[in-house]
Amino acid sequence: MLDDSETPDTSAPHSRSTAAERRERVLEVAMHEFSERGYEGGSTQRIAAAAGISQAYVFQLYGSKPRLFLAVIERCMEDMLTLFETASSGRGGSAALRAVGDAYLEMIANDPVRFQMQLVGYASCAQPDVRAAMRTGFGRVVELAEQRSGLPNAEVARFFADGMLLNVVTAMGLTSEPTPWGARLIDGSIGLGRG
Amino acid sequence: MLDDSETPDTSAPHSRSTAAERRERVLEVAMHEFSERGYEGGSTQRIAAAAGISQAYVFQLYGSKPRLFLAVIERCMEDMLTLFETASSGRGGSAALRAVGDAYLEMIANDPVRFQMQLVGYASCAQPDVRAAMRTGFGRVVELAEQRSGLPNAEVARFFADGMLLNVVTAMGLTSEPTPWGARLIDGSIGLGRG
DNA sequence: GTCGGAGGTTAGTGACCACTCACAACAGTG
DNA sequence: CACTGTTGTGAGTGGTCACTAACCTCCGAC
């Protein structure tokens, strides 16, 4: 809009943004990078290039690589909470869990970045900062499921257990390239609140 | 046995081994390294140092870093299968699952390297070689549980779902530093075949 | 007693890493 | 127009990375 060129994006020599906008954009591409390569494998050089800024500015915006990674983890868990809040809005009991389960299934199918980022988060829990962020985020999600559904511990736990099984089944590609034993696992699982 | 020195290990200036022994030792320390730092974060320099050999020899033994990582993944899944075979030996039905569940709980408590290596494996499934190895290994474990227990799909799936929930609960430190919501999750879970 | 092969090392290679510092460009305000 | 703060970059820093080529060292066999 502000540029003289017709193509809005890359060809323009400079298009300034507010720092908040840049931070947001960097966070997005960083989640993409870290989800694909993990914390150690992720490169601030590549993140900067994908965000269209210099590497130095990434450090000005986030201070250090660990801080950027932590921001990505926190955002990832916030997104999950928002997804669950939206899906369960106005519902209660097992219908709430069912709606959340559907939303989660759709996320796994359509948002591989956030799905993979979750796995990276679990694997990075050895780092105390990461573990703390994961605990906080996951705790909020569990409490939301408890409050919205009002179901007893056993059913809520069952819901999350099925979700975790679904995670590894998906990670191993058992939905896209099935195996007999994988199909039996999926068949035997309760299906995210649909029991 | 072949050495002249009494201390079998570190203090001797040189103690030659067979290549097979070296490969085994490298595999052990590599699992330690990769479990702590992930694939990208793991360093062949540190692995070599921990194994007491030069970095060059690591490459002579395993060819490349991806091949070494893959060997670690395969070994990790073999160890899991062996653990489950031993635990369930001579048992059937739900008693078999209960015994396997106990063995798994003990492994999580006493062998953090193999536990953490599992999480790294799931997070590394985007790499096709790793995914294939994880599928093969996990499939064997599932089939063993099915055959030894003879239970229907739903109960076997429930067992593995609880195991996966236990994994993330442990990764987040909810057993060592509990939270109310974490305690409710653990309480509501069926407890690895003990339902 | 030498010789071949298995078991190992030294000393690099260029590439990439996170991170820093000095400085440039621009926008709004007076 | 000058001034000021924000947005941004160029050009490095030392360090580590995976990986390699060439060489050394020992032991058993003949």
Side-chain angles (χ1 to χ4, degrees), chain A residues 68-85:
Chain A
L68 174 56
F69 184 74
L70 201 62
V72 167
I73 291 280
E74 285 165 353
R75 166 60 58 93
C76 185
M77 297 310 278
E78 280 167 23
D79 290 348
M80 189 90 61
L81 183 64
T82 302
L83 179 81
F84 281 22
E85 273 174 339

Side-chain angles (χ1 to χ4, degrees), chain A residues 18-193:
Chain A
T18 66
E21 285 167 345
R22 288 292 188 201
R23 281 181 63 92
E24 184 61 28
R25 172 84 183 130
V26 168
L27 203 61
E28 279 171 28
V29 306
M31 194 182 297
H32 190 98
E33 171 80 2
F34 286 130
S35 77
E36 275 188 342
R37 314 207 187 217
Y39 168 67
E40 301 276 0
S43 151
T44 59
Q45 302 244 41
R46 273 192 298 265
I47 290 168
I53 60 174
S54 69
Q55 192 200 13
Y57 199 32
V58 172
F59 283 88
Q60 193 167 130
L61 290 172
Y62 281 95
S64 72
K65 190 186 179 186
R67 276 211 275 272
L68 174 56
F69 184 74
L70 201 62
V72 167
I73 291 280
E74 285 165 353
R75 166 60 58 93
C76 185
M77 297 310 278
E78 280 167 23
D79 290 348
M80 189 90 61
L81 183 64
T82 302
L83 179 81
F84 281 22
E85 273 174 339
T86 306
S88 66
S89 152
R91 282 180 241 260
S94 57
L97 279 197
R98 234 179 295 129
V100 168
D102 286 340
Y104 190 66
L105 280 166
E106 200 216 332
M107 191 266 268
I108 281 188
N110 299 333
D111 195 348
V113 168
R114 270 171 187 79
F115 168 67
Q116 182 66 26
M117 196 62 224
Q118 258 193 94
L119 301 185
V120 170
Y122 295 133
S124 304
C125 271
Q127 189 75 22
D129 296 349
V130 175
R131 184 169 61 244
M134 294 290 291
R135 283 167 66 110
T136 302
F138 201 85
R140 276 207 265 261
V141 170
V142 170
E143 285 166 352
L144 179 79
E146 290 174 334
Q147 287 158 14
R148 287 278 161 98
S149 76
L151 293 173
N153 293 351
E155 294 186 47
V156 175
R158 179 80 205 259
F159 174 76
F160 280 99
D162 280 349
M164 295 305 137
L165 181 58
L166 176 64
N167 279 348
V168 309
V169 158
T170 305
M172 290 195 247
L174 294 170
T175 54
S176 48
E177 305 154 20
T179 64
W181 58 269
R184 289 195 294 274
L185 269 189
I186 295 168
D187 172 64
S189 129
I190 212 169
L192 287 172

Side-chain angles (χ1 to χ4, degrees), chain B residues 16 42-46 55-56 59 64-65:
Chain B
R16 295 215 154 187
S43 152
T44 59
Q45 302 244 42
R46 274 192 298 264
Q55 191 198 12
F59 283 88
S64 71
K65 189 186 179 186

Side-chain angles (χ1 to χ4, degrees), chain A residues 3-12:
Chain A
D3 297 332
D4 49 352
S5 69
E6 296 179 335
T7 58
D9 220 359
T10 52
S11 62

Side-chain angles (χ1 to χ4, degrees), chain B residues 12 22 30-31 34 45 72 96 104 106 113 134-135 142 185:
Chain B
R22 288 293 188 201
M31 195 183 295
F34 286 132
Q45 302 244 42
V72 167
Y104 190 66
E106 200 217 331
V113 167
M134 293 290 292
R135 283 167 65 111
V142 170
L185 269 189

